[in-house]
Amino acid sequence: KAGVTQTPRYLIKTRGQQVTLSCSPISGHRSVSWYQQTPGQGLQFLFEYFSETQRNKGNFPGRFSGRQFSNSRSEMNVSTLELGDSALYLCASSLATHTGELFFGEGSRLTVL
Amino acid sequence: GIQVEQSPPDLILQEGANSTLRCNFSDSVNNLQWFHQNPWGQLINLFYIPSGTKQNGRLSATTVATERYSLLYISSSQTTDSGVYFCAVVTGNTPLVFGKGTRLSVIA
C-alpha cells in the first residue's frame, strides 16, 4: 500500500513568486492536513480538508491557501512568497478525521531566496 | 489551546543504553501519537496511543490519560534511533498539536 506522496520534494523560489505543492493521500483516506515546519516555530498546522471541504484552518495569512479534489488529492498554494516561508511543508492523511491516526509524507522543502 | 511539553529537549546516549522520553499535555486528549523524524524530514509513525501501553520491538509507549502524560521507552538504543522524537495530541475538534520534540543522539 503506497504511503502519502508529496511533490515536489525540493524547490527553490524567489521572493514574490508563488508555489503549489501537491499531496496524494494513502488510498482510501479522505482527510488531508498540511503542516509547516521551521526551526524557529516548530510544526504548525496550516489546514485540514475532508471530502473537498476545509474543516480547520491554522493561523496563517491569506497568502496560504489549499484545496482538495474529489479523489482526495490535495494542493496548497503560497502566493507572494516571503523569505520566512522557507520551510518543510508536510502533508498528512487519515481515514476519516484528524482524530484518527495520521500518516505523513516525506515533505516538500521550500527555499525562498 | 492545549499545551504539549516534551522532555528532555536533548539527549545523548551511548549505543546500547535505554532511555525514557516524556510528553505532558494540558488537557484531555482523544488522539496521541509519537513520531520519529528522520534526517530527511519525514515523520515516521511510532505509536498511536491515546491511552494504555503498546510495544513494538525495542520501543514501547505508555499514556496515562487521567494524569495527562505519555512516555516513550527506547531500549538497547542504536545509532539509527538518532533523530527528533515528537509527541502530538488532538483534543476536541482541534488539529494535531505537536510538542517541540526531543533530539536524540546515539553514539557508537
Side-chain angles (χ1 to χ4, degrees):
Chain A
K1 193 174 185 180
V4 179
T5 304
Q6 292 189 244
T7 56
R9 293 289 313 284
Y10 303 92
L11 64 167
I12 300 173
K13 295 285 188 178
T14 56
R15 279 180 298 175
Q17 288 187 309
Q18 65 94 26
V19 66
T20 299
L21 309 178
S22 178
C23 173
S24 293
I26 292 171
S27 177
H29 284 196
R30 297 170 62 191
S31 176
V32 173
S33 303
W34 289 89
Y35 287 80
Q36 181 198 64
Q37 186 178 26
T38 60
Q41 299 298 318
L43 280 147
Q44 293 187 289
F45 171 75
L46 281 158
F47 18 67
E48 180 199 1
Y49 289 88
F50 180 78
S51 292
E52 303 178 66
T53 301
Q54 187 179 88
R55 292 170 59 101
N56 259 314
K57 188 178 193 306
N59 190 24
F60 279 81
R63 300 185 297 107
F64 291 80
S65 63
R67 58 178 174 168
Q68 186 180 33
F69 302 96
S70 58
N71 62 358
S72 295
R73 190 178 71 84
S74 177
E75 290 181 346
M76 67 163 282
N77 184 275
V78 188
S79 62
T80 319
L81 284 166
E82 302 177 358
L83 295 179
D85 298 332
S86 294
L88 178 66
Y89 290 87
L90 291 161
C91 168
S93 77
S94 60
L95 261 177
T97 72
H98 59 271
T99 55
E101 188 172 7
L102 268 69
F103 297 86
F104 281 83
E106 294 178 293
S108 293
R109 192 171 294 277
L110 170 66
T111 301
V112 182
L113 302 175
Chain B
I2 192 168
Q3 304 298 313
V4 182
E5 295 183 0
Q6 292 187 242
S7 60
D10 296 279
L11 186 58
I12 301 175
L13 295 176
Q14 199 75 33
E15 199 170 26
N18 302 327
S19 63
T20 301
L21 281 56
R22 187 176 180 103
C23 172
N24 291 334
F25 41 94
S26 60
D27 201 350
S28 59
V29 297
N30 42 29
N31 175 3
L32 187 148
Q33 290 186 244
W34 283 96
F35 297 93
H36 175 213
Q37 189 165 40
N38 66 23
W40 297 272
Q42 186 174 13
L43 288 169
I44 308 298
N45 288 43
L46 297 177
F47 294 101
Y48 171 72
I49 187 167
S51 64
T53 297
K54 291 185 178 180
Q55 178 154 10
N56 184 5
R58 296 181 296 105
L59 273 60
S60 64
T62 294
T63 297
V64 184
T66 53
E67 297 187 21
R68 299 183 182 169
Y69 73 88
S70 183
L71 302 174
L72 177 68
Y73 306 95
I74 304 174
S75 64
S76 305
S77 57
Q78 301 174 358
T79 56
T80 52
D81 294 331
S82 296
V84 183
Y85 289 80
F86 288 100
C87 166
V89 304
V90 170
T91 181
N93 197 33
T94 65
L96 202 62
V97 174
F98 284 81
K100 294 187 184 302
T102 292
R103 183 175 299 277
L104 175 64
S105 299
V106 181
I107 54 178

